[in-house]
Amino acid sequence: MDCFVLGIGGMMPMPHRRLSSVAVRTGGSIYLFDCGEGTQVPYKELHLGLRNLDVVFISHLHADHVLGLPGMLMLRAQMPDPEPLTLVGPPGLSRFVKNVRADLRMHIRYPINYVEWTRDAGDVAFEDGNVRVLWHPLEHSVFCLGFRLEEHIRPGRFDPEAARALGIPPGPLYGQLQAGKTVSLDDGREIRPDQVVGETRRGRHVAFVTDTVPCASMQPLMHKVDIAFVESMFLPEHTEDAADKKHMTCEQSAQAALEAEVDRLVLLHISPRYENRELKRIRKLAQAVHPRAEVGREGQVIQVPLPS
Ligand SMILES: [Zn+2]
Ligand SMILES: [Zn+2]
C-alpha cells in the first residue's frame, strides 16, 4: 500500500502549498480522499493515472475540499472508455456535482454513482474486493465526515512443511486448504485448514480526518490505524481561533492520535497564515505529544508495510 500526499494546505491553494488531499493505492486501485481546487495538478505530477481511480471520498462541502472535483471529473472523461465513478460524501454532494455539470455543460460519458451519508447509513460507506471504508460525522462548521480505510483480512500463511508431514500431495488441495476448505485425502483422512494454514492477518488501516474540533467520533476512525492523516490547522497560540473556526491545533491533533493509539501521524490542512518555515515548529510541538508525528510533504509517497 502506498499513500500519496497531494497537498497539505487548508482554506485556499497557495503558490507554495496545495490543498489537502491523499490518494491511497492498494490492490491496483486508487482511493482519493478530498479534492480541493487544483488537486488534479499534483495528481498528474505523481503519475497516479486515472484508469484505476474509481472512488473519490469527499469530507465536506467546503471549497478547499470539493472544488477540484469538476476538473478531476473532466480529466477522467478524457481517457478512452472510462469506468463508472463512485463519489462518497456528505448530503448535497450529488446536488453540487449535478449542478456544476449542468451549468458548465460538462460532457462526461461515464456513469457516476453517489453514496451520500444519511442518518441510518451505518458505519460502512463503501466496500470492494480490496477494502472497506468506514465513515463518521465529525464536528465542523458544516456537516463533515471522517473516513477509515481498511484492507480486507488476509488469509493465514500456508505451511508447506506441515502439509508434507501430513502426507497431503502438492497440488490443488493446497489451494483449497488455503481458501479455508476442509479436504479429504485418498486414504480417507480429513484435513482441516487450521492444520496447515496460520491465523488470518489483518490488512492495513488508514484514517483521513479533516476538518474538525477534537470530538469523540475521531477515536473509532483512528483507533490503532497504521497511518492517520489528520488536520492541524493552527498553532497552539491560536487555540481560540481553532475553536471558533471548528479546527484543531497541532497539539490537539497529536493528542487525539495518541489516545487512538495511531502508529504514524501525518498532519495536513495547515492554515495559510503560517509560512513553510513554521512547519518545523508544528512538527516539533506535535512530536512532543505523539512521537511518530510529522507534517506531510507535498508529493510525499508513504509505503505502509503490512502489519507483522
Ligand atoms: Zn478545510
Ligand atoms: Zn471546512
Side-chain angles (χ1 to χ4, degrees):
M1 172 192 277
D2 294 308
C3 295
F4 299 79
V5 180
L6 278 67
I8 62 161
M11 242 172 106
M12 63 186 104
M14 308 275 284
H16 57 284
R17 195 181 297 153
R18 288 166 179 162
L19 287 172
S20 297
S21 172
V22 172
V24 178
R25 186 170 65 192
T26 180
S29 293
I30 294 170
Y31 307 88
L32 183 66
F33 292 87
D34 274 350
C35 193
E37 193 178 349
T39 289
Q40 58 173 302
V41 178
Y43 192 92
K44 272 186 161 177
E45 282 173 352
L46 282 161
H47 306 290
L48 281 158
L50 294 154
R51 176 66 59 196
N52 300 320
L53 175 65
D54 296 327
V55 202
V56 180
F57 299 87
I58 297 292
S59 61
H60 64 301
L61 295 178
H62 270 161
D64 53 335
H65 299 261
V66 76
L67 221 51
L69 210 42
M72 209 64 178
L73 297 181
M74 288 305 288
L75 199 62
R76 209 174 170 278
Q78 287 170 14
M79 67 176 174
D81 309 318
E83 298 279 315
L85 180 72
T86 299
L87 296 179
V88 181
L93 178 62
S94 63
R95 187 188 59 222
F96 167 75
V97 174
K98 283 170 186 167
N99 282 344
V100 84
R101 272 184 81 168
D103 292 345
L104 302 184
R105 296 170 197 273
M106 289 163 64
H107 293 290
I108 295 176
R109 296 161 292 121
Y110 53 85
I112 300 179
N113 312 314
Y114 296 96
V115 182
E116 290 189 353
W117 187 88
T118 59
R119 225 168 263 284
D120 51 3
D123 287 345
V124 180
F126 174 83
E127 188 157 10
D128 66 10
N130 295 321
V131 299
R132 68 171 191 166
V133 178
L134 311 177
W135 53 6
H136 271 288
L138 302 169
E139 280 182 42
H140 190 43
S141 53
V142 299
F143 181 84
C144 182
L145 290 161
F147 297 102
R148 176 190 178 101
L149 176 144
E150 297 181 343
E151 284 178 325
H152 291 316
I153 288 168
R154 296 168 299 137
R157 281 201 187 85
F158 187 78
D159 182 351
E161 290 294 313
R164 261 193 295 275
L166 285 163
I168 307 166
L173 292 180
Y174 279 25
Q176 290 172 25
L177 284 160
Q178 203 161 13
K181 292 191 184 113
T182 298
V183 300
S184 307
L185 302 186
D186 289 344
D187 60 15
R189 280 183 298 142
E190 292 219 320
I191 307 288
R192 297 184 318 275
D194 63 311
Q195 291 176 270
V196 289
V197 180
E199 282 188 21
T200 54
R201 297 160 292 167
R202 76 164 176 88
R204 287 156 286 202
H205 297 174
V206 181
F208 183 83
V209 176
T210 188
D211 301 357
T212 186
V213 290
C215 64
S217 62
M218 290 170 68
Q219 291 301 317
L221 288 171
M222 298 202 293
H223 183 64
K224 290 190 172 176
V225 292
D226 299 279
I227 188 162
F229 296 91
V230 182
E231 81 134 280
S232 173
M233 184 74 154
F234 291 106
L235 276 162
E237 59 262 38
H238 298 125
T239 301
E240 271 184 35
D241 282 354
D244 280 355
K245 294 178 171 143
K246 302 282 187 192
H247 284 289
M248 292 192 288
T249 66
C250 53
E251 289 177 341
Q252 289 172 330
S253 309
Q255 184 59 36
L258 185 78
E259 285 166 22
E261 298 176 60
V262 165
D263 185 32
R264 182 171 176 179
L265 170 65
V266 180
L267 300 174
L268 311 165
H269 205 280
I270 311 296
S271 167
R273 75 170 74 177
Y274 307 126
E275 297 290 333
N276 274 350
R277 61 185 143 79
E278 284 172 292
L279 298 180
K280 204 168 157 189
R281 188 153 77 89
I282 295 174
R283 171 172 59 81
K284 282 195 169 162
L285 287 164
Q287 275 178 352
V289 180
H290 188 300
R292 292 202 73 203
E294 64 195 279
V295 178
R297 264 185 303 107
E298 220 172 88
Q300 186 179 10
V301 184
I302 303 170
Q303 284 183 342
V304 186
L306 281 166
S308 51

